[in-house]
Amino acid sequence: YVCSTWGNNHFKTFDGDIYQFPGLCEYNFVSDCREAYKEFSVHIQRALNSNSHPEIQYILMKIKDIMVYLKPNLVVVDGRIVKTPYYSSGVLIESNDIYTKVYAKLGMVLMWNQQDALMVELDNKFNNHTCGLCGDYNGIQIYNEFIKGGAYNSITYGNMQKISKPNSKCEDPDETQALPSCNEHRDECQRLLTSPAFADCRLRLNLEMYIQACMQDKCACNGKDDSFCLCSTISEYSRQCSHAGGRPGEWRTQSFC
C-alpha cells in the first residue's frame, strides 16, 4: 500500500504502475477524494536543482484541519515553524538530516528523503477513495488511471493533477513527447538490480519495472557518468525492498553511489 516518486520523475502508483512525468508545477500527489469531507491531501512541487536534476522543492499536506508545509530542514504547521519531533492532534512529525517522516493517526505515513524521493503508505480503508499522481488505489493496475475514456499517456494523466494557482506561471509538459526506448541499457540495468546484494528482493518486487526505470534514467543522462542517473532508481529499489520486508545487502561502494 505504498505510492512513491523518485529520481528522474518516476512515479509508482498504489496499484503498482510505474510511469514518468516531468512536470514542474504543484500537483496533487495523493488525496482522499470522496466528495464529502476529505480527510487528507498531499501536494508536491519539483524544481530542477543546480545540476538540472529534478528535486522535490516542497510538500504541502492537509491532515483533517492541520496544514503542514515541508521543505528540506524546515517544518511549518499552520503557518508556524516548529521543532521536531512535533506532535499535535493525531499527527507526529519527525525529522533528521536524512529524512522527514509524518505519521497521521488517520492511517497515513509519509517519508521524504528531503531530496528526490517521497513515499506515502496508506491504510487500506482508503481503497478506491484516492486520486492524484498515486492513482485510485483500487488494486487494478493501469485501468482507471490511464484508460478512462480513451488511452491517456502518463503526461496527459500527470497534467490533469495540476493544482491551479491564480498567479503561478508554469508550463505543462508536452503530451506528444514520446519517451525514447532505451534498450541498449538493459543489460547494465539488469546486472545492477540482480546483483547478489539484492538476492532477497527478487521475489518481493516487480524487477522489470525497475529495470525499465533504470533504462530511462540512463537514456536521459546521455552517457554522462552521473551518479544521479543510476543511483536514484537503485536506491528506490533498495528502499522498496526493505519496505516489503526484504533485506538488501550492502550495494553501495566507495566508487559506486
Side-chain angles (χ1 to χ4, degrees):
Y1 308 127
V2 173
C3 168
S4 59
T5 180
W6 74 92
N8 188 24
N9 305 304
H10 298 292
F11 290 83
K12 175 183 157 294
T13 68
F14 287 115
D15 297 333
D17 291 310
I18 289 185
Y19 66 95
Q20 255 184 314
F21 174 65
L24 298 175
C25 306
E26 183 181 308
Y27 300 95
N28 173 14
F29 184 63
V30 56
S31 300
D32 174 12
C33 289
R34 288 170 286 192
E35 264 62 59
Y37 179 73
K38 292 181 170 37
E39 292 202 41
F40 71 89
S41 64
V42 179
H43 295 176
I44 62 170
Q45 169 133 21
R46 275 195 166 81
L48 298 178
N49 66 14
S50 51
N51 301 323
S52 307
H53 296 321
E55 280 193 349
I56 297 171
Q57 225 184 354
Y58 65 80
I59 298 168
L60 186 60
M61 305 172 69
K62 186 166 192 260
I63 302 167
K64 304 266 189 187
D65 299 317
I66 299 177
M67 288 298 278
V68 178
Y69 176 74
L70 305 174
K71 288 188 83 145
N73 307 313
L74 179 71
V75 177
V76 178
V77 178
D78 288 335
R80 290 202 337 271
I81 296 179
V82 299
K83 282 198 166 63
T84 56
Y86 171 88
Y87 182 79
S88 166
S89 17
V91 177
L92 169 65
I93 306 172
E94 298 176 344
S95 68
N96 57 26
D97 293 343
I98 306 169
Y99 277 101
T100 300
K101 292 184 186 177
V102 181
Y103 302 87
K105 206 156 82 187
L106 57 78
M108 173 170 70
V109 180
L110 174 144
M111 192 159 118
W112 177 35
N113 71 351
Q114 300 184 20
Q115 294 171 351
D116 65 304
L118 169 66
M119 177 149 67
V120 171
E121 186 179 0
L122 265 194
D123 195 297
N124 58 12
K125 72 176 184 198
F126 293 108
N127 276 139
N128 229 347
H129 290 324
T130 66
C131 61
L133 293 167
C134 287
D136 59 7
Y137 193 13
N138 68 352
I140 304 168
Q141 275 194 334
I142 292 187
Y143 181 70
N144 281 355
E145 285 79 24
F146 300 122
I147 302 178
K148 207 182 265 173
Y152 288 170
N153 65 27
S154 61
I155 301 205
T156 313
Y157 181 71
N159 286 339
M160 289 167 60
Q161 314 308 322
K162 183 162 86 170
I163 304 299
S164 55
K165 291 153 69 186
N167 49 6
S168 76
K169 299 247 188 305
C170 93
E171 295 294 309
D172 286 341
D174 176 4
E175 294 175 12
T176 57
Q177 228 177 340
L179 287 169
S181 82
C182 302
N183 282 330
E184 68 273 23
H185 300 298
R186 169 173 281 280
D187 292 350
E188 181 185 9
C189 287
Q190 192 157 349
R191 182 177 54 74
L192 289 167
L193 289 161
T194 55
S195 74
F198 293 126
D200 196 24
C201 306
R202 284 295 291 269
L203 299 172
R204 297 172 193 274
L205 300 173
N206 181 331
L207 176 65
E208 178 59 28
M209 289 183 160
Y210 293 94
I211 290 175
Q212 293 288 338
C214 165
M215 283 157 54
Q216 287 168 348
D217 293 347
K218 289 291 288 177
C219 265
C221 285
N222 283 332
K224 289 201 292 290
D225 193 22
D226 180 332
S227 70
F228 178 85
C229 304
L230 271 181
C231 302
S232 57
T233 289
I234 296 170
S235 305
E236 177 67 9
Y237 186 69
S238 178
R239 276 190 292 269
Q240 293 288 346
C241 174
S242 306
H243 195 273
R247 296 204 159 170
E250 197 43 74
W251 56 274
R252 296 176 186 274
T253 64
Q254 277 320 120
S255 57
F256 182 70
C257 296

